């Protein structure tokens, strides 16, 4: 008699785990929402309400934080985690299941005016295919609002000089090794400001603006310095990028 060894948990299992964090800090969400609100304009302007897809909405916290800045526009949350969607539906009027791989997102080509892509790209095995899919669902000239941790954040530069693994980077899905922090969040890819600009531009977008945002996990005594670093995006904790579909 032979027995089959249990299948080791994969990425899908990891993100379906309710213990895995699915929300980011409110400061990033507010800054990103203000950028998008400026880009879209009021819903009462010519063209009426716009459709905004929050791809990888997690528990809906970020979209709910952005909603007051996007009054009148249609905000739809999308995630592949059933657990996250169950929580998102308590905060958002629309939350649907979808993923960037496989059959793609459940939306017609050119059906969205804007996409929020908040702290998702660093979790992806194939970010090239993901941006192809985002470009597909966006109308020509549609807005991409992408945020991701900055590999070259001011404190990561210091940590690397000291031989310490940078914050946000992970070498294991099972534990923290060689870097500050206590949570495994599944980061697979990290970007500097320059790399993010080049990557998005090569994917069929025109970069409009790149800003910085603070990281809620920075120790309290260092938070004033972290906020100060936002003035220069290449040093900031979080990169906020606004691009338009070509």
């Amino acid at each position: 008699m032979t027995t089959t060894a249990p299948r080791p948990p994969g990425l899908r299992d990891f993100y379906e785990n309710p213990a895995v964090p699915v929300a980011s800090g409110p400061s990033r969400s507010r800054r990103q929402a203000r950028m998008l609100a400026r880009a879209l304009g009021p819903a009462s302007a010519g063209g009426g309400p716009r459709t905004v897809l929050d791809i990888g909405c997690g528990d809906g916290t970020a979209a709910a934080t952005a909603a007051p800045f996007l009054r009148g526009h249609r905000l739809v949350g999308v995630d592949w985690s059933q657990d996250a969607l169950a929580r998102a539906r308590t905060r958002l009027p629309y939350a649907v299941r979808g993923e960037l791989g496989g059959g793609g997102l459940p939306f017609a080509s050119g059906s969205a005016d804007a996409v929020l892509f908040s702290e998702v790209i660093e979790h992806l095995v194939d970010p090239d295919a993901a941006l192809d899919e985002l470009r597909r669902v966006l109308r020509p000239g549609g807005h991409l609002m992408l945020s991701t941790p900055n590999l070259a954040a001011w404190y990561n530069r210091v940590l690397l000089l000291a031989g310490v693994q940078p914050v946000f980077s992970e070498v294991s899905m099972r534990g923290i090794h060689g870097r500050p922090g206590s949570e495994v969040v599944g980061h697979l890819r990290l970007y500097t400001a320059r790399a993010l600009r080049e990557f998005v531009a090569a994917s069929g977008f025109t970069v409009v603006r790149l800003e910085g945002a603070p990281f809620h996990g920075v120790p309290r005594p260092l938070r004033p310095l972290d906020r100060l670093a936002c003035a220069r995006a290449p040093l900031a904790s979080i990169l906020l990028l606004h691009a338009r579909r070509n």
Side-chain angles (χ1 to χ4, degrees):
M1 179 178 177
T2 60
T3 59
T4 303
R7 179 178 61 89
L11 281 176
R12 186 176 296 273
D13 303 286
F14 179 84
Y15 292 116
E16 289 284 7
N17 182 353
V20 174
V22 292
S24 187
S27 179
R28 188 272 301 157
S29 300
R30 286 192 293 268
R31 288 173 184 241
Q32 193 173 34
R34 290 189 189 102
M35 290 173 70
L36 180 55
R38 289 195 300 267
L40 290 178
S44 57
R50 310 304 203 276
T51 297
V52 180
L53 306 180
D54 183 3
I55 307 297
C57 67
D59 65 2
T61 299
T65 301
F69 300 93
L70 303 171
R71 293 190 188 280
H73 296 300
R74 292 182 290 267
L75 186 57
V76 181
V78 185
D79 207 285
W80 76 347
S81 167
Q82 295 286 19
D83 177 78
L85 284 172
R87 287 179 277 171
R89 289 178 180 128
T90 67
R91 298 182 172 97
L92 303 175
Y94 307 106
V96 300
R97 195 169 194 275
E99 56 184 283
L100 292 162
L105 296 168
F107 304 100
S109 298
S111 60
D113 297 286
V115 164
L116 283 169
F117 203 46
S118 306
E119 265 95 318
V120 176
I121 198 168
E122 65 271 15
H123 298 272
L124 300 179
V125 173
D126 190 351
D128 301 272
L131 259 65
D132 288 345
E133 181 64 1
L134 297 185
R135 188 174 184 276
R136 181 189 69 80
V137 299
L138 279 168
R139 62 169 174 80
H143 303 276
L144 171 64
M145 294 290 175
L146 185 156
S147 67
T148 191
N150 183 10
L151 175 60
W154 61 275
Y155 41 80
N156 279 345
R157 299 178 187 223
V158 176
L159 291 173
L160 277 170
L161 285 173
V164 178
Q165 186 82 9
V167 175
F168 308 125
S169 67
E170 296 185 323
V171 299
S172 170
M173 301 286 280
R174 299 177 182 176
I176 300 298
H177 304 288
R179 71 158 173 86
S182 59
E183 291 181 328
V184 178
V185 292
H187 290 175
L188 304 180
R189 299 182 183 274
L190 289 175
Y191 299 79
T192 63
R194 178 176 178 177
L196 186 64
R197 279 181 175 273
E198 292 183 3
F199 172 61
V200 171
S203 300
F205 294 85
T206 296
V207 175
V208 177
R209 188 175 181 86
L210 184 66
E211 296 184 6
F215 174 47
H216 64 281
V218 168
R220 189 174 297 276
L222 297 177
R223 289 180 186 176
L225 185 56
D226 193 43
R227 289 192 294 270
L228 186 64
C230 292
R232 291 199 61 203
L235 296 175
S237 287
I238 306 295
L239 300 172
L240 305 179
L241 181 138
H242 172 204
R244 299 196 73 168
R245 180 198 186 279
N246 294 338

